[in-house]
Amino acid sequence: DDEALVCGARHFGLAFERRSPGKLTVRNQLRGRDEVYEVIELLDFTSARKRMSVVARALDDRGAPIGPVTIYLKGADTAVEPRLRPGQDANKNKTFDAMGAFSAEGLRTLVCAQAELPLQKFETWLTSYRAAAADLREVRKRQRDEPNAIDRLMDEVEHAFGDGLQLVGA
């Protein structure tokens, strides 16, 4: 799945260049330059979650953050659709119809969505999420598939704090 996404992005002018600790470099062929992103958090895929997310922000040439903090999510249609913000019916219907056609041909499909996150809410969330992820009691609950703060906080940010995600495509 990831390889197909990387190849598709390259086809549309965005080529993965390199990854270093906490950073990702993309060659934007449309703008003729490299773009560097800080990878702030990676929310893992599990078979129960049926999705994964990355929270990132662009960096300038000196490595200073520019622009908004953004969450990018990919996953099964059943995992992503409930997280979409209202008012996207035309785009959603077109996308999901295309996915149905792809599935009928035996192809696997993923839905992609994103949202800009309000900085103050995000910073509060990040502190709580990192504390929960470091709490052995929460980690053990998660390992036993019990309700836990880690999953609750991942779900909170994957709903863009209640604002919902913008459908990107499939």
Side-chain angles (χ1 to χ4, degrees):
D1 294 339
D2 292 337
E3 185 176 348
L5 290 172
V6 169
C7 289
R10 183 181 313 117
H11 176 77
F12 290 105
L14 299 170
F16 171 78
E17 286 292 313
R18 65 189 158 280
R19 175 130 191 208
S20 58
K23 293 184 182 169
L24 173 73
T25 304
V26 174
R27 177 75 180 157
N28 187 329
Q29 296 169 346
L30 302 173
R31 295 182 180 162
R33 63 182 171 93
D34 286 352
E35 296 176 353
V36 180
Y37 295 88
E38 173 188 12
V39 177
I40 302 168
E41 279 299 331
L42 184 65
L43 308 180
D44 59 333
F45 175 90
T46 67
S47 57
R49 285 173 35 80
K50 297 182 177 127
R51 64 189 181 280
M52 69 146 317
S53 300
V54 62
V55 179
R57 70 177 145 206
L59 301 175
D60 67 16
D61 294 336
R62 296 165 301 169
I66 55 173
V69 173
T70 304
I71 184 165
Y72 301 92
L73 182 143
K74 69 172 183 172
D77 57 342
T78 56
V80 178
E81 185 175 16
R83 290 164 175 77
L84 297 177
R85 74 175 54 115
Q88 303 180 73
D89 291 340
N91 189 27
K92 187 169 83 170
N93 292 340
K94 185 176 179 181
T95 300
F96 281 67
D97 287 348
M99 288 176 52
F102 296 149
S103 293
E105 293 179 30
L107 300 173
R108 291 179 52 177
T109 59
L110 289 172
V111 179
C112 298
Q114 70 178 48
E116 293 179 5
L117 301 174
L119 190 57
Q120 188 172 352
K121 283 184 180 180
F122 171 72
E123 288 173 343
T124 300
W125 174 88
L126 185 60
T127 300
S128 298
Y129 176 75
R130 288 183 173 168
D135 185 331
L136 290 178
R137 291 173 301 211
E138 296 300 325
V139 171
R140 287 187 188 115
K141 286 180 194 176
R142 189 165 193 248
Q143 289 170 339
R144 294 188 302 259
D145 290 325
E146 296 174 0
N148 62 82
I150 300 167
D151 287 334
R152 180 183 56 76
L153 288 161
M154 287 194 297
D155 197 51
E156 183 179 305
V157 76
E158 288 174 335
H159 277 90
F161 307 120
D163 292 337
L165 302 173
Q166 178 67 41
L167 177 62
V168 174

